[in-house]
Amino acid sequence: MSSRLHVYYSGSVQGVGFRFTAERIANSLGLTGWVRNLKDGRVEVVCEGKKPDLEDFLRKITDIFKSYIRDADIEMGASTGEFEGFDIRF
C-alpha cells in the first residue's frame, strides 16, 4: 500500500544541493512526487511510495542535511497516485 509524505524543511536548506539530493534519493527508492524551493527560504517535498521507503527517504535527508535543517514539518497520509516520477519544480 502506498502512502504520501508532505514535508516543509526550514533552516539553511536552499543553495546547498537539497533539491538535487532529494531527487536522487527519491529516484533511488522508487518514490514519485516533487521538491521545490519556497520564497520564504523553506524547501517543500511531496512524495509517494511505500511507507518504509518514505521513512528511509526522511532518514537519508536528515543524515545528509542535519547541519542545515532547523525544523521539519512532516505529514504522512494516503497517496493519490497522481505522479509519474519525481522531479524538481521551479
Side-chain angles (χ1 to χ4, degrees), residues 31-76:
L31 302 176
T32 61
W34 49 265
V35 59
R36 68 178 173 183
N37 283 346
L38 298 175
K39 291 181 180 176
D40 63 6
R42 295 178 300 161
V43 172
E44 181 181 17
V45 180
V46 174
C47 54
E48 295 186 350
K50 295 177 183 164
K51 191 169 183 181
D53 294 330
L54 295 172
E55 291 167 348
D56 198 18
F57 175 86
L58 286 172
R59 258 191 311 279
K60 288 179 179 188
I61 289 290
T62 300
D63 287 348
I64 293 168
F65 293 105
K66 62 182 163 261
S67 62
Y68 298 98
I69 297 169
R70 185 181 69 241
D71 188 42
D73 181 10
I74 302 167
E75 290 182 18
M76 192 77 76

Side-chain angles (χ1 to χ4, degrees), residues 3-48:
S3 296
R4 181 183 184 107
L5 175 68
H6 191 177
V7 188
Y8 291 98
Y9 288 102
S10 59
S12 299
V13 292
Q14 292 189 12
V16 294
F18 198 104
R19 291 173 299 159
F20 300 101
T21 302
E23 179 186 41
R24 180 179 50 79
I25 293 169
N27 285 326
S28 76
L29 294 169
L31 302 176
T32 61
W34 49 265
V35 59
R36 68 178 173 183
N37 283 346
L38 298 175
K39 291 181 180 176
D40 63 6
R42 295 178 300 161
V43 172
E44 181 181 17
V45 180
V46 174
C47 54
E48 295 186 350

